[in-house]
Amino acid sequence: QVLVAEAAHDLHITIVTGEHEQLFELICKKDLSGLEQVLKDHLYYSMKRMRHSIEVDYKDYFEEEPEENRFVI
């Protein structure tokens, strides 16, 4: 279980680092159209990762609202 968690964490770091490198390259090239799309994708997947963290990793810090099946602080 520990190895799986470490591997998942390492994969997450690799993905985020790769996204940041890609953004940096596009900024250096001044490729605004490419930058806009990559930035949208990066922000979209960042929000998905954040949602997963809230619902899985930090779920004990939130209470679920029964009628909406959503978490509140």
Side-chain angles (χ1 to χ4, degrees):
Q1 290 177 347
V2 173
L3 292 176
V4 171
E6 287 179 13
H9 181 273
D10 290 347
L11 177 60
H12 170 76
I13 297 299
T14 301
I15 290 170
V16 172
T17 302
E19 290 173 353
H20 289 182
E21 287 174 358
Q22 187 177 18
L23 286 167
F24 185 70
E25 288 173 10
L26 291 168
I27 290 169
C28 289
K29 292 178 184 177
K30 298 180 181 177
D31 180 357
L32 297 180
S33 62
L35 178 63
E36 183 177 356
Q37 185 58 50
V38 171
L39 189 56
K40 284 180 183 178
D41 292 344
H42 174 66
L43 293 174
Y44 172 77
Y45 289 111
S46 294
M47 295 302 293
K48 284 184 75 170
R49 289 188 293 264
M50 184 185 303
R51 179 180 177 181
H52 175 78
S53 289
I54 290 170
E55 291 179 345
V56 176
D57 301 331
Y58 301 106
K59 68 180 180 181
D60 296 337
Y61 295 96
F62 300 92
E63 295 177 11
E64 191 171 347
E65 291 181 340
E67 66 276 0
E68 294 184 19
N69 199 21
R70 299 180 126 193
F71 291 98
V72 294
I73 297 175

